Amino acid sequence: MPQTKQRKVPVNLRQSGDHDVKMLIGTRVRKSCYWHKSVEHGVRAVTVYNRMYHPRLYFSDEQNSLMGEYYFLTNYVTLWNVAVERQIMVKGPDAMEFVNRVVTRDMKKKMPVNKGRYVILCDQEGGIINDPVLLRVAEDEFWFSISDSDLQLWFKGLNQGWNLDVEIAEIDVSPVQVQGPYAQPLMAKLFGEQIKEMGYYWLWQTELNGMQVVISRTGFSGEVGYEVYLRNSMRDADQLWDTIVEAGQEYNLRVIAPGHIRRIEAGILSYGQDMDLETNPFEVPLEWQYDGEKEDWYVGKEALDRIASEGVERKLVGLVMGGPPVRWYNTDFWLVYDETGENGVGYVTSAFYSPKMETNIALAFVPKKYAELGTALSVGLPAEATPVNATVHQVPFFDANKELPRGGQPGQQLKG
């Protein structure tokens, strides 16, 4: 099978399909503070993310399932339960020093208080450990809003050797996302007109009806969006959720799952699908996270310097492809073949039908020689007897300059 690189743990490329296996809901996996609210809103499918239950579908077949959720995300405003983005706090006199030792870019130059950054953390071999949003909420306090892998234990292990003066702990802070074209008027209704002045990836610490929150101008959708990080979340979760839902009715708000169709269109990567510990940032479109001029040492620096010099043998590329519309999460890493459909060369990590592109789109790992834009390939879809045609396409597929989340329209050149 085409693994695309020698891995210590090979990617499971068996095409096992979806057998409608029921997920056991029990006490071993954590239920977030918003879990019961997701149940109230009719959650139909969940996965496990950061050892927590994570909603992946609310809409019924009559509501057009994930495509119906996509419609409300791209036309109105939506509320997401994303408490699985667990918050790992690093706080103390040496907090900045610790953060700069684990993040590939220079946070001393890029991270004032009340600023957020999308960052990556790598191990000593250059493998991506996590790609969180980093929030600086005080001079001596940072939160890592983590993707699907454990940072708290890794941080504690590192500091056994470093012995820096920091506290490392998960905290009682749980985010929701408010995403879609009407996100800004809804948030202004809740928090005041000043929220319209927030720049992309800036933070605002404020309160709502006595609830303490940190708002970030960020999101996983490629649309206008905000994340609301609720302090004391086990206590105040119901109040925050119900307040947002009620205020959003005039904007046709719907509770939906995180919009993976839209995030693929926007070229947003999903940890565990599109990258993992055996993937380095030069193999996926994250080479911009490598700062070759960063003077301070950090974990993985030597490996990333070497990889930057030597190059890589495979790339994560975008594909547009034929076949029937892909309307559900790909349950396997579908195989990618060369143009003949006979020789396996790679595998798809994420795929969906894109309403904006009016075709199936995917992210896929292929050897570097197949990564040039316009290269003809083919993909084995489960419902098709023979591989369907595919072509390497630019990523992001839509709104390449990310004007939409900044409040503009594709084709504009906005700053922020």
Side-chain angles (χ1 to χ4, degrees):
M1 296 186 195
Q3 291 286 330
T4 70
K5 72 180 292 187
Q6 186 68 37
R7 291 173 53 103
K8 293 181 174 65
V9 180
V11 176
N12 186 352
L13 296 178
R14 296 178 181 88
Q15 303 299 292
S16 57
D18 183 355
H19 296 284
D20 197 26
V21 176
K22 180 178 175 61
M23 175 172 284
L24 172 66
I25 304 297
T27 55
R28 188 184 63 82
V29 175
R30 185 193 300 182
K31 295 176 181 176
S32 78
C33 59
Y34 306 118
W35 168 253
H36 60 294
K37 288 298 179 182
S38 289
V39 172
E40 287 179 13
H41 284 265
V43 64
R44 293 170 176 271
V46 301
T47 188
V48 173
Y49 188 105
N50 274 327
R51 302 191 301 279
M52 298 173 71
Y53 295 113
H54 183 33
R56 283 299 184 91
L57 174 69
Y58 291 85
F59 278 28
S60 66
D61 289 343
E62 291 73 22
Q63 295 170 300
N64 205 16
S65 190
L66 291 174
M67 291 297 165
E69 294 188 3
Y70 175 97
Y71 174 80
F72 279 89
L73 169 61
T74 56
N75 287 278
Y76 297 106
V77 63
T78 58
L79 175 64
W80 306 0
N81 170 3
V82 291
V84 294
E85 298 171 6
R86 295 161 70 157
Q87 305 303 301
I88 308 303
M89 178 191 71
V90 177
K91 178 178 172 62
D94 294 335
M96 173 56 85
E97 178 65 25
F98 185 95
V99 167
N100 221 34
R101 290 189 187 187
V102 297
V103 172
T104 59
R105 292 193 292 166
D106 193 342
M107 293 298 101
K108 292 180 180 179
K109 297 178 180 179
K110 298 178 180 293
M111 201 71 189
V113 176
N114 288 324
K115 180 69 175 177
R117 290 287 184 188
Y118 174 71
V119 298
I120 60 170
L121 300 87
C122 295
D123 70 0
Q124 68 274 17
E125 297 176 352
I128 300 171
I129 290 179
N130 205 281
D131 68 323
V133 172
L134 176 64
L135 299 85
R136 189 175 190 180
V137 298
E139 192 69 29
D140 65 345
E141 184 174 352
F142 296 80
W143 297 351
F144 289 80
S145 186
I146 64 174
S147 61
D148 192 14
S149 69
D150 200 320
L151 281 188
Q152 180 177 209
L153 293 178
W154 189 57
F155 284 174
K156 286 179 176 291
L158 288 173
N159 208 39
Q160 285 294 305
W162 295 345
N163 199 30
L164 295 175
D165 188 1
V166 292
E167 177 187 2
I168 299 166
E170 183 176 355
I171 53 179
D172 182 19
V173 173
S174 300
V176 296
Q177 291 198 23
V178 178
Q179 302 286 315
Y182 288 93
Q184 190 168 88
L186 170 56
M187 293 292 286
K189 178 180 179 180
L190 289 166
F191 294 98
E193 291 295 312
Q194 60 267 43
I195 202 166
K196 295 180 179 179
E197 303 302 316
M198 281 187 67
Y200 197 39
Y201 269 85
W202 283 94
L203 313 179
W204 181 26
Q205 303 187 52
T206 185
E207 67 174 50
L208 177 65
N209 300 335
M211 298 176 287
Q212 299 296 313
V213 298
V214 177
I215 302 170
S216 67
R217 180 75 184 273
T218 54
F220 192 64
S221 72
E223 298 287 327
V224 175
Y226 299 85
E227 293 184 81
V228 182
Y229 295 81
L230 176 64
R231 299 178 187 262
N232 302 307
S233 62
M234 292 302 291
R235 182 191 71 192
D236 292 337
D238 287 25
Q239 183 184 358
L240 176 68
W241 185 278
D242 293 342
T243 299
I244 295 174
V245 168
E246 181 179 358
Q249 294 312 299
E250 72 170 286
Y251 303 108
N252 218 4
L253 178 143
R254 293 293 187 276
V255 174
I256 70 167
H260 279 260
I261 303 170
R262 188 66 188 90
R263 71 95 180 163
I264 298 172
E265 291 177 338
I268 300 172
L269 306 183
S270 177
Y271 192 87
Q273 289 178 258
D274 309 312
M275 56 184 165
D276 62 14
L277 189 56
E278 295 198 46
T279 306
N280 68 62
F282 298 94
E283 295 173 321
V284 297
L286 291 176
E287 56 266 26
W288 60 277
Q289 289 277 346
Y290 166 71
D291 182 356
E293 298 182 357
K294 180 176 177 177
E295 297 178 357
D296 291 349
W297 177 88
Y298 60 90
V299 180
K301 175 176 171 54
E302 295 84 356
L304 293 181
D305 286 345
R306 172 180 52 79
I307 297 168
S309 175
E310 296 177 355
V312 296
E313 295 301 318
R314 68 170 186 166
K315 285 284 190 177
L316 186 75
V317 300
L319 298 178
V320 294
M321 59 190 188
V326 177
R327 299 184 182 277
W328 188 245
Y329 304 98
N330 53 303
T331 56
D332 294 303
F333 294 97
W334 297 333
L335 302 183
V336 176
Y337 300 89
D338 64 12
E339 188 176 9
T340 70
E342 296 178 356
N343 302 307
V345 298
Y347 54 90
V348 166
T349 60
S350 300
F352 263 114
Y353 176 78
S354 164
K356 293 189 182 297
M357 301 295 291
E358 298 183 333
T359 187
N360 290 325
I361 62 174
L363 300 173
F365 274 116
V366 297
K368 189 176 179 180
K369 68 179 181 178
Y370 295 102
E372 185 177 348
L373 296 182
T375 299
L377 297 167
S378 57
V379 175
L381 298 185
E384 299 299 290
T386 58
V388 301
N389 293 335
T391 304
V392 176
H393 192 279
Q394 71 172 11
V395 178
F397 294 90
F398 178 79
D399 188 21
N401 294 315
K402 298 187 183 299
E403 284 94 2
L404 275 176
R406 291 180 169 89
Q409 292 296 322
Q412 295 178 338
Q413 295 293 326
L414 298 182
K415 297 180 180 180

